Amino acid sequence: MSNAKLQPVLDRIDADFDNSLERLFTLLRIKSISADPAFAKDCRAAADHLAKDIATLGFKTEVRPTAGHPAVVGKLNGSTDGRPHVLFYGHYDVQPVDPLNLWHRPPFEPVVTDHADGRKIIVARGAEDDKGQLMTFVEACRAWKNVTGSLPVDITIVIEGEEEIGSKNFVPFLEANKAELKADFALVCDTGMWDPNTPAITTSLRGLVYDEVKIKAANRDLHSGVFGGGAQNPIRVLTRILGGLHDDNGHITIPGFYDGVKDLPPDILAQWKQLNLTPESFLKPIGLSVPAGEKDRLLIEQVSSRPTCDINGIVGGYTGEGSKTVIAAEASAKVSFRLVEGQDPEKIRKAFRDYVTARLPADCKAEFIDHSGAPAIALDWNMKPLAAARRALTDEWGKEALLIGSGASIPIVADFKRTLGLDSVLIGFGLDDDNIHSPNEKYDLKSYHKGIRSWARILAAFADAK
């Protein structure tokens, strides 16, 4: 698309930025906390507000019921010139604000203030996750519509209200509406940048298996003075098994765990090496100094592209004040696995359970609880939308956009692939210090402004890449 069309759109974004900020503030003032039933009306108010706002851009919008909080669907498509059709996803719900006393100001009274290092920041619950992020896309669409009267590509917008509580009612919604949510690919704005000046596209997400194991032995808690040394101790059994999950080099010892795991392409690995993620920069701020993952892998591989196993909690025996000399009848642990492309969540879950069961001594048995599971996601490095978006981000930020892996899981991306057959391009403008899910959540003013400009460029680039 010629610069003659794009530049006036970018100019409009700059000229209208104060109004864009106030529109974001209006959304941020709505207390759309999905986890607390007391805020159900606020969640509905957020959905109604977004539907009304997006409708002013020419989208046909509806607030759709789910078994929980409603979803917003906006459609501006149906062109016949072969242009791409994208599905944009965001969420309007936010995390609870507790502990309230740690906030420097009321969490639903947004303000622009100064960061300690001089950056201008927006502070409010939802400023980054995900209201600020989704509004960068809405505002880019607004600028295109106001300047040219149309959008460069066909767009369906879907915004849910339960991402922060697991999207349990959104997946059935996708299933029920998959015919009308068809598109060429999805866009997800719920990720981040490499640093405040370097844009990034997340090309892979680790999957997740979360399991709970409970080891049982005697039919009641036992007096350790009477039975100690003669009766099996579930805590000792459990910790011995868990302690064997990793070897001295940080490798996971479950048989077959690494089956299907591939190395990064050499050019991507070379790019990641140049990023120079060091223990000093990554671990020192949290009071640590030595990477704990696979010793034969870069730190950035350990946290972004390699599978992991972590013990998230252990319970057993007496944990109250003082002492109580007992051998507990049972002990349990919660264990999570972050998976990469090539690993099957159900095979990993079975392999873990087989590993535990094979190591049980006489008089002990294991019970398991399945908490969650999702496969890893990896984009085709050569897909056209990915290359187009990367060029657009590079043009806007003046630094080459990075292709990075995320150690986290975003289950909705797997849901889009499984339910709608869509690959997702993940672009966001959050930063590591945005305090999402914590008091004093913030979003850099630069992230919001250049995020809008970035989406304007990306939409133009998608049109050219058709």
Side-chain angles (χ1 to χ4, degrees), residues 79-84 152 154 466:
S79 61
T80 59
D81 61 359
R83 67 176 63 188
D154 284 355
K466 66 182 179 180

PDB file of all heavy atoms in Angstrom, residues 79-84 152 154 466:
ATOM      1  N   SER A  79     -16.029  -8.046   1.662  1.00  0.00           N
ATOM      2  CA  SER A  79     -15.541  -7.479   0.414  1.00  0.00           C
ATOM      3  C   SER A  79     -15.325  -8.592  -0.606  1.00  0.00           C
ATOM      4  O   SER A  79     -15.174  -9.754  -0.270  1.00  0.00           O
ATOM      5  CB  SER A  79     -14.239  -6.715   0.646  1.00  0.00           C
ATOM      6  OG  SER A  79     -13.251  -7.581   1.146  1.00  0.00           O
ATOM      7  N   THR A  80     -15.275  -8.225  -1.842  1.00  0.00           N
ATOM      8  CA  THR A  80     -15.155  -9.214  -2.924  1.00  0.00           C
ATOM      9  C   THR A  80     -13.864  -9.074  -3.715  1.00  0.00           C
ATOM     10  O   THR A  80     -13.714  -9.657  -4.778  1.00  0.00           O
ATOM     11  CB  THR A  80     -16.349  -9.082  -3.890  1.00  0.00           C
ATOM     12  OG1 THR A  80     -16.378  -7.745  -4.427  1.00  0.00           O
ATOM     13  CG2 THR A  80     -17.662  -9.374  -3.178  1.00  0.00           C
ATOM     14  N   ASP A  81     -12.904  -8.275  -3.189  1.00  0.00           N
ATOM     15  CA  ASP A  81     -11.669  -8.042  -3.936  1.00  0.00           C
ATOM     16  C   ASP A  81     -10.526  -8.965  -3.526  1.00  0.00           C
ATOM     17  O   ASP A  81      -9.376  -8.750  -3.899  1.00  0.00           O
ATOM     18  CB  ASP A  81     -11.239  -6.584  -3.795  1.00  0.00           C
ATOM     19  CG  ASP A  81     -10.964  -6.182  -2.340  1.00  0.00           C
ATOM     20  OD1 ASP A  81     -11.138  -7.041  -1.456  1.00  0.00           O
ATOM     21  OD2 ASP A  81     -10.601  -5.016  -2.101  1.00  0.00           O
ATOM     22  N   GLY A  82     -10.838  -9.999  -2.741  1.00  0.00           N
ATOM     23  CA  GLY A  82      -9.817 -10.962  -2.369  1.00  0.00           C
ATOM     24  C   GLY A  82      -8.902 -10.520  -1.250  1.00  0.00           C
ATOM     25  O   GLY A  82      -7.872 -11.166  -1.005  1.00  0.00           O
ATOM     26  N   ARG A  83      -9.246  -9.451  -0.557  1.00  0.00           N
ATOM     27  CA  ARG A  83      -8.395  -8.980   0.529  1.00  0.00           C
ATOM     28  C   ARG A  83      -8.392  -9.984   1.691  1.00  0.00           C
ATOM     29  O   ARG A  83      -9.339 -10.748   1.861  1.00  0.00           O
ATOM     30  CB  ARG A  83      -8.861  -7.611   1.020  1.00  0.00           C
ATOM     31  CG  ARG A  83     -10.230  -7.624   1.702  1.00  0.00           C
ATOM     32  CD  ARG A  83     -10.594  -6.241   2.245  1.00  0.00           C
ATOM     33  NE  ARG A  83     -10.721  -5.271   1.184  1.00  0.00           N
ATOM     34  CZ  ARG A  83     -10.878  -3.957   1.399  1.00  0.00           C
ATOM     35  NH1 ARG A  83     -10.935  -3.503   2.642  1.00  0.00           N
ATOM     36  NH2 ARG A  83     -10.985  -3.138   0.396  1.00  0.00           N
ATOM     37  N   PRO A  84      -7.335  -9.968   2.509  1.00  0.00           N
ATOM     38  CA  PRO A  84      -7.293 -10.874   3.649  1.00  0.00           C
ATOM     39  C   PRO A  84      -8.413 -10.578   4.650  1.00  0.00           C
ATOM     40  O   PRO A  84      -8.893  -9.440   4.745  1.00  0.00           O
ATOM     41  CB  PRO A  84      -5.919 -10.598   4.285  1.00  0.00           C
ATOM     42  CG  PRO A  84      -5.117  -9.956   3.201  1.00  0.00           C
ATOM     43  CD  PRO A  84      -6.092  -9.187   2.367  1.00  0.00           C
ATOM     44  N   PRO A 152      -8.107  -1.488   5.386  1.00  0.00           N
ATOM     45  CA  PRO A 152      -7.331  -2.165   4.336  1.00  0.00           C
ATOM     46  C   PRO A 152      -7.675  -3.635   4.169  1.00  0.00           C
ATOM     47  O   PRO A 152      -7.433  -4.217   3.104  1.00  0.00           O
ATOM     48  CB  PRO A 152      -5.875  -1.999   4.806  1.00  0.00           C
ATOM     49  CG  PRO A 152      -5.900  -0.898   5.805  1.00  0.00           C
ATOM     50  CD  PRO A 152      -7.239  -0.975   6.460  1.00  0.00           C
ATOM     51  N   ASP A 154     -10.468  -7.069   5.588  1.00  0.00           N
ATOM     52  CA  ASP A 154     -11.702  -7.430   6.290  1.00  0.00           C
ATOM     53  C   ASP A 154     -11.350  -7.853   7.715  1.00  0.00           C
ATOM     54  O   ASP A 154     -10.345  -8.529   7.945  1.00  0.00           O
ATOM     55  CB  ASP A 154     -12.402  -8.587   5.573  1.00  0.00           C
ATOM     56  CG  ASP A 154     -13.112  -8.138   4.302  1.00  0.00           C
ATOM     57  OD1 ASP A 154     -13.136  -6.917   4.038  1.00  0.00           O
ATOM     58  OD2 ASP A 154     -13.629  -9.006   3.582  1.00  0.00           O
ATOM     59  N   LYS A 466      -1.472  -9.878   0.336  1.00  0.00           N
ATOM     60  CA  LYS A 466      -2.539 -10.821  -0.025  1.00  0.00           C
ATOM     61  C   LYS A 466      -2.149 -11.696  -1.199  1.00  0.00           C
ATOM     62  O   LYS A 466      -1.334 -11.316  -2.027  1.00  0.00           O
ATOM     63  CB  LYS A 466      -3.828 -10.062  -0.332  1.00  0.00           C
ATOM     64  CG  LYS A 466      -3.778  -9.162  -1.569  1.00  0.00           C
ATOM     65  CD  LYS A 466      -5.085  -8.420  -1.745  1.00  0.00           C
ATOM     66  CE  LYS A 466      -5.017  -7.509  -2.983  1.00  0.00           C
ATOM     67  NZ  LYS A 466      -6.275  -6.769  -3.183  1.00  0.00           N
TER      68      LYS A 466
END
